[in-house]
Amino acid sequence: MTPESYDLHCHSTASDGALSPAELVARAHLQGVTVLALTDHDTVSGLTEAAQIAGKLGLRLIPGIEISATYAHQCLHIVGLNIDPEPPALLAGLGGQHAVRAQRAHKIAEKLEKKGIAGAYDAVKTAAGDGEITRSHFADFLVAQGVVKDQQDAFDRYLSKGKPGFVPTQWAPLEDAIGWIRAAGGIAVLAHPLRYNLSIKWLRQALAAFKLAGGQGVEVVTGRASPDDIRLSQQLAQKHQLYASVGSDFHSPENQWVELGRLAALPADATPVWELLG
Ligand code: AMP
Ligand code: MN
Ligand code: MN
Ligand code: MN
């Protein structure tokens, strides 16, 4: 039997991905992925379409999500794997996250307007369609307006913490986000631990709180991780006795650096999170 190829973190048009759930699953299949988790920001709305095509292609779709959570004034991303998308606690929680996103979008647009950039809210609302509005939509809008040269430039100059379009946001408390995932029968995984620009000391504190609240895994291999990143992340996993996950965080075919399933192997001493997937 050929070994499975896992990718347990990616996005569709249900949030800030460029491909529809069906297009995303088809692309993953072409790339040789055999087990894929669709993990859109704060929504499960892409999962039904993804599961339908996955069934036809013979790819195993893990129903997932990426929840924005607040811990000690810091936003952390919690991936939920193998969730039942129906439970009332999860749906109520996601309703709250949706309201936070909608409100924040209005505030970001107001801030941009003050900087002389008008029309942001209508543009991102149209671009997001039925999906969740994210800062990526604002970045695309700023690029389209010719205000910045690319997405990175948009985050660096307008959308990141401390920049004129940044709106401090109170997401679900970390414990709640993990609780919704666990109540939905899922596995909670801390996404991309090294992408928060936090000190190792701070990360260790966050991981201790994460584990205490029922978190079970941490991403050890992500889309653009260097060998050093992978080693460090695995050390964190080991220290806190967390399962190791792998996920590209794929958003768009236009980003040539990140591809579905194109991931380094887990270190030999890692305990893969798929041991929990059954
Ligand atoms: P939000 O959850 O709405 O705050 O949006 C966060 C999303 O913006 C992330 O999931 C990334 O897709 C994207 N993002 C965040 N920071 C950057 C960055 N520096 N460059 C490009 N995209 C980013
Ligand atoms: Mn994103
Ligand atoms: Mn993330
Ligand atoms: Mn992501």
Side-chain angles (χ1 to χ4, degrees), residues 87-130:
L90 177 70
L91 294 182
L94 296 183
Q97 297 281 95
H98 174 78
V100 168
R101 282 193 175 277
Q103 243 175 27
R104 181 183 68 151
H106 281 292
K107 287 187 196 159
I108 294 174
E110 277 167 29
K111 286 194 142 190
L112 293 177
E113 186 123 25
K114 285 192 183 127
K115 289 281 156 190
I117 306 163
Y121 183 81
D122 287 347
V124 298
K125 180 75 193 148
T126 303
D130 293 334

Side-chain angles (χ1 to χ4, degrees), residues 14 19-20 26 40 50 54 56 67 121 125 134 167 188 194 198-199 208 214 230-231 248 258 276 278:
L19 304 181
S20 69
D40 275 304
K56 285 189 197 134
I67 300 180
Y121 183 81
K125 180 75 193 148
T134 72
V167 172
L194 304 184
L198 298 169
S199 69
I230 294 172
R231 256 191 300 276
S248 62
V258 176
L276 296 175

Side-chain angles (χ1 to χ4, degrees), residues 193-247:
L194 304 184
R195 231 187 281 157
Y196 305 107
N197 291 323
L198 298 169
S199 69
I200 292 302
K201 189 176 161 210
W202 205 104
L203 261 181
R204 288 219 175 104
Q205 261 180 40
L207 278 170
F210 171 77
K211 171 119 184 174
L212 198 64
Q216 288 174 286
V218 59
E219 285 182 354
V220 167
V221 174
T222 64
R224 297 180 67 178
S226 70
D228 277 351
D229 292 342
I230 294 172
R231 256 191 300 276
L232 180 54
S233 304
Q234 172 52 25
Q235 279 170 16
L236 288 168
Q238 203 155 33
K239 171 110 185 148
H240 295 274
Q241 294 188 294
L242 293 164
Y243 288 86
S245 191
V246 304

Side-chain angles (χ1 to χ4, degrees), residues 9 11 15-17 41 66 77 134 136 249 251:
H9 184 157
H11 298 273
S15 64
D16 58 355
H41 295 287
E66 181 175 20
H77 285 182
T134 72
S136 306
D249 205 1
H251 282 75

Side-chain angles (χ1 to χ4, degrees), residues 11-269:
H11 298 273
S12 76
T13 47
S15 64
D16 58 355
L19 304 181
S20 69
E23 289 167 340
L24 184 82
V25 171
R27 187 180 181 95
H29 182 63
L30 275 176
Q31 296 294 333
V33 174
T34 57
V35 184
L36 180 77
L38 174 59
T39 56
D40 275 304
H41 295 287
D42 298 304
T43 181
V44 293
S45 68
L47 294 178
T48 305
E49 179 183 319
Q52 269 168 5
I53 180 161
K56 285 189 197 134
L57 295 173
L59 176 150
R60 180 175 177 195
L61 183 86
I62 305 292
I65 193 161
E66 181 175 20
I67 300 180
S68 294
T70 297
Y71 170 73
H73 305 291
Q74 168 70 39
C75 175
L76 299 176
H77 285 182
I78 312 301
V79 161
L81 298 176
N82 220 12
I83 53 166
D84 167 1
E86 304 275 306
L90 177 70
L91 294 182
L94 296 183
Q97 297 281 95
H98 174 78
V100 168
R101 282 193 175 277
Q103 243 175 27
R104 181 183 68 151
H106 281 292
K107 287 187 196 159
I108 294 174
E110 277 167 29
K111 286 194 142 190
L112 293 177
E113 186 123 25
K114 285 192 183 127
K115 289 281 156 190
I117 306 163
Y121 183 81
D122 287 347
V124 298
K125 180 75 193 148
T126 303
D130 293 334
E132 290 298 320
I133 301 174
T134 72
R135 282 184 295 162
S136 306
H137 295 102
F138 282 95
D140 290 343
F141 165 74
L142 291 170
V143 174
Q145 293 291 300
V147 176
V148 296
K149 68 174 194 298
D150 54 24
Q151 271 220 359
Q152 187 59 50
D153 198 23
F155 277 91
D156 290 348
R157 289 171 51 203
Y158 287 94
L159 301 171
S160 294
K161 204 170 189 169
K163 302 300 171 185
F166 182 78
V167 172
T169 304
Q170 192 69 41
W171 301 103
L174 178 67
E175 293 75 12
D176 290 11
I178 295 170
W180 303 335
I181 291 168
R182 295 301 302 264
I187 305 157
V189 173
L190 180 72
H192 42 67
L194 304 184
R195 231 187 281 157
Y196 305 107
N197 291 323
L198 298 169
S199 69
I200 292 302
K201 189 176 161 210
W202 205 104
L203 261 181
R204 288 219 175 104
Q205 261 180 40
L207 278 170
F210 171 77
K211 171 119 184 174
L212 198 64
Q216 288 174 286
V218 59
E219 285 182 354
V220 167
V221 174
T222 64
R224 297 180 67 178
S226 70
D228 277 351
D229 292 342
I230 294 172
R231 256 191 300 276
L232 180 54
S233 304
Q234 172 52 25
Q235 279 170 16
L236 288 168
Q238 203 155 33
K239 171 110 185 148
H240 295 274
Q241 294 188 294
L242 293 164
Y243 288 86
S245 191
V246 304
S248 62
D249 205 1
F250 177 92
H251 282 75
S252 163
E254 277 181 28
N255 180 347
Q256 55 178 332
W257 307 107
V258 176
E259 182 54 81
L260 288 160
R262 199 205 286 156
L263 289 157
L266 277 177
D269 57 341

